[in-house]
Amino acid sequence: LISCFIMPSYKVTYFNVPGRAEPIRIALHAAGIEFEDERVANWKDVKEQTFSQAIPLLYIDGKPYSQTSALARFAGKKAGLYPTDEVQALVCDEVFETVQDIINTIFKVSGDPETVKAHRTEISNGKLKVLFGVVNTRLSESSSGYITGGDVSIADIFLAGQVGAMLAGWLDHIPPSYLTENFPALAEHA
């Protein structure tokens, strides 16, 4: 009976940047859940010891869980940031996964600065316009100003973080004007 009243312990492990873990952190805060926020300084030193050799990770009572979307849904549900309506949940997941695709597309190429520049120039005129177009469509369909058409969701938080990073100029070769010129509604949403 006493174990029913013991709160689980939580730990989020990610780099020392907002990135993919930020919606998880925000949702846990919104839910009033205390957690250890482990910031990884040198990924090469810890990668081999992590559960899935990928981060973010969420530990619950010491047991690791992986996959950004799954962790965000879990935390979003805890905080009331995940829709209970099935269609709104579908839109939430669609947009969250599209933002994941945007991140994966942008960072698909790394290393040589000229190669990165060429890649980002190419995707800015192609794949990124398609992906941001999906998100822009869902936002324009919403009467509430939030992605799902209901209340703020975990997808809104994830989108705002990524769009905010782009607007802040954190990405080489994709200027902040890319969003403000092509998708002003998304830029305003952040």
Side-chain angles (χ1 to χ4, degrees):
L1 183 64
I2 293 175
S3 65
C4 295
F5 299 105
I6 297 174
M7 298 296 293
S9 65
Y10 295 91
K11 177 171 79 169
V12 175
T13 301
Y14 195 65
F15 302 112
N16 193 23
V17 296
R20 296 178 197 253
E22 198 66 2
I24 300 160
R25 293 177 185 130
I26 290 170
L28 291 173
H29 279 295
I33 295 173
E34 292 185 24
F35 64 96
E36 178 185 345
D37 190 6
E38 180 182 39
R39 305 289 178 122
V40 175
N42 189 342
W43 177 233
K44 291 178 182 177
D45 289 346
V46 297
K47 181 178 180 179
E48 297 299 320
Q49 291 101 35
T50 63
F51 172 65
S52 59
Q53 294 190 2
I55 50 178
L57 290 171
L58 175 64
Y59 292 83
I60 304 173
D61 288 336
K63 183 177 180 179
Y65 297 89
S66 63
Q67 299 300 327
T68 303
S69 300
L71 304 179
R73 269 192 298 279
F74 172 83
K77 287 176 183 178
K78 291 278 192 192
L81 295 169
Y82 190 81
T84 56
D85 177 86
E86 290 177 347
V87 174
Q88 288 180 356
L90 174 63
V91 172
C92 181
D93 289 344
E94 175 188 44
V95 169
F96 198 97
E97 293 302 326
T98 302
V99 174
Q100 291 270 60
D101 288 346
I102 289 167
I103 295 168
N104 293 339
T105 299
I106 290 170
F107 291 103
K108 183 177 182 178
V109 173
S110 62
D112 174 60
E114 288 305 312
T115 304
V116 170
K117 181 178 180 179
H119 169 70
R120 291 187 179 171
T121 300
E122 177 185 335
I123 63 171
S124 293
N125 296 316
K127 179 100 176 172
L128 280 186
K129 283 196 176 178
V130 172
L131 293 171
F132 277 116
V134 169
V135 178
N136 193 66
T137 296
R138 293 299 180 230
L139 186 58
S140 67
E141 293 170 347
S142 170
S143 60
S144 70
Y146 298 114
I147 287 295
T148 66
D151 294 328
V152 65
S153 72
I154 197 75
D156 291 284
I157 294 168
F158 194 35
L159 175 64
Q162 301 311 311
V163 168
M166 290 181 78
L167 292 173
W170 289 3
L171 293 174
D172 293 335
H173 316 298
I174 303 177
S177 60
Y178 178 80
L179 285 175
T180 57
E181 291 172 5
N182 294 298
F183 305 102
L186 289 180
E188 289 176 24
H189 184 65

